[in-house]
Amino acid sequence: MLGVGLLGFVMLNGGYLVTVLGLAAIYGVFCTGLNLFMGYTGQASFGQSAFAAVGGYGTAILCAGHGWDPVAGLVVSMAIAGLLALVVGYPVMRLRGHYLAMATFALGLIVYELSVEWSGLTQGYMGYAGIPPLGFAGHELGTERAQLGALVAIMLFGVWLAERMKSSRFGRALRAIAGSEPAAMALGIPVSRYKLAAFVVAAVYASAAGSLFAHFIGFISPEVFGVPMVVLSFTMLYLGGIGTIWGPVMGAVIASLLPELFRGLKEMQDIAYSVVLILMLIFVPGGLAGLLRRLARKPT
Amino acid sequence: MRTPEQAVVPLLAASDLTARYGRVVALKGVELRVDEGEFVTVLGPNGAGKTTLMRALMRTAARTGTIRFRGEDVSALPTHALARRGIILVQEGRGLFGQMTVRENLDLGAFTRPDRAAGEQRLGQVFALFPRLSERLGQMAASLSGGEQQMLAIGRALMAEPKLLMLDEPSVGLAPRVAVEIIEALGALNRGGLGILLVEQKAPLALRLAKRAYIVTLGRIAAELDAASIGSHHDLAQYYLS
């Protein structure tokens, strides 16, 4: 309800908030994928930005460089990201906890370095400009509002898909792995294979988010897919409620809007934002989704 | 000429089973056998290696040695493939998924058996054995009482259609009456033809039903008792006291 109201208000008023919400929807896609791996499967990946970079650069090179249709660029980039996740994940998924976190973090750094140094492909530090807006079969979505509509629709589709996965046999197996790996194995769940599958799915989501970002902003550079992206997505996950269906999206929206809310505070903006984040993490440990669930359970 | 004894292929046969934690040998050269439909118990004092034995059989601990299941050499199979063969362990501490509902835990038990109709039938059997579970389906596993959790752990294992059900101290932390209830349920399952390997500290409880018992001390099989000698389990004390 609140979400629909917010979207309606922004659609009518337009302006800068359209961009903010568009980015929130893109992060919603990114975090929904990450949530499958970190929330449901209980694994850590600090390198999802690498797959967003694959999507962003895939789209930039295919659509801006070779004039491909955005949808084709999106899908092909997702396939490449999925393949990369499969190849990298196969050895890496044997690691656990901190080691897995470090290995994935390294993946993020490697892809970042590649996007800086391989300037023949990525145009290096200067970044890739002139990426066309989202469109389908030759029809560009001309206005920002139309693009926001498309982004929200795509995000909702991503959430719907994640919900379907969560309640499937696949999703139950992932949650079992999060609960206890030995117990999951002892019930016949091939743990490494399922972890790898979750990693690939999360990578495909991340790649889609990267592609959408490239179309929405029209410009990407290595900095876009750096460590700050990882930190921001973690903030969103924990703020919204990790391991819940709507948490990642709620977190993405709130973490995107909060800085705008404090814009009037000028130099105090970052401090106010951080204070609110810390307070929420302390007092709403299950995230917003967890809070809403608790409130729903205890009707006053 | 083959003697009848040789002709029978045991359900599970482990030989020269050895397990280490780092450099510490926790289990050494264990020989163990469970026949089809047999109820075998593993007894021994705390820290003797009973849990390690279970984990070594299930390969959730590193081990060497040979394990045959119904004649097939399964030594090299990973844990999930053993479960698929029908070797199911109810591990120490139950290994439930606390943040999932009773129903979800039971469904996960049937992970390797996706046939829905057969699953519903097994669910009915589990409810017949533990009626209380059917009243708790929507509840989080963590919110169950200890006895109910153990029932759920066994129920979940049964959903996997086990050929050999292994249990690691299912009576731990339970009120005596509930522990007896659990053990009697195992007896009923065994009478239905299920092979059972039960690790217990409470020897009298386990010996009520077991046809054979292995006594484990210091990572080795110290003795093997059959039904006849189990009757006078005065001898048992010596293994616990040594």
Side-chain angles (χ1 to χ4, degrees), chain B residues 38-163:
Chain B
E38 200 184 15
F39 195 133
V40 178
T41 184
V42 176
L43 305 171
N46 246 336
K50 304 190 296 296
T51 293
T52 306
L53 173 58
M54 290 295 112
R55 296 190 55 206
L57 289 172
M58 203 68 220
R59 215 184 175 190
T60 49
R63 46 107 163 121
T64 58
T66 312
I67 297 174
R68 288 184 165 275
F69 186 65
R70 292 184 151 174
E72 180 196 7
D73 186 346
V74 295
S75 314
L77 292 184
T79 302
H80 62 87
L82 294 174
R84 201 166 278 272
R85 293 285 193 289
I87 307 178
I88 299 293
L89 170 65
V90 176
Q91 62 188 33
E92 193 184 22
R94 303 169 194 125
L96 292 175
F97 306 115
Q99 296 310 308
M100 297 172 84
T101 64
V102 169
R103 176 72 210 225
E104 285 174 320
N105 270 277
L106 290 169
D107 284 345
L108 272 165
F111 183 82
T112 56
R113 312 280 186 253
D115 181 348
R116 276 184 182 263
E120 285 300 317
Q121 200 189 338
R122 283 199 307 281
L123 197 60
Q125 291 163 353
V126 169
F127 291 160
L129 196 63
F130 302 120
R132 260 191 276 173
L133 288 183
S134 63
E135 300 156 18
R136 303 265 190 276
L137 282 180
Q139 235 170 286
M140 290 293 159
S143 72
L144 299 180
S145 73
E148 288 165 345
Q149 287 193 10
Q150 194 57 58
M151 291 172 192
L152 177 55
I154 295 172
R156 187 179 67 177
L158 293 175
M159 292 301 288
E161 233 174 80
K163 308 287 182 293

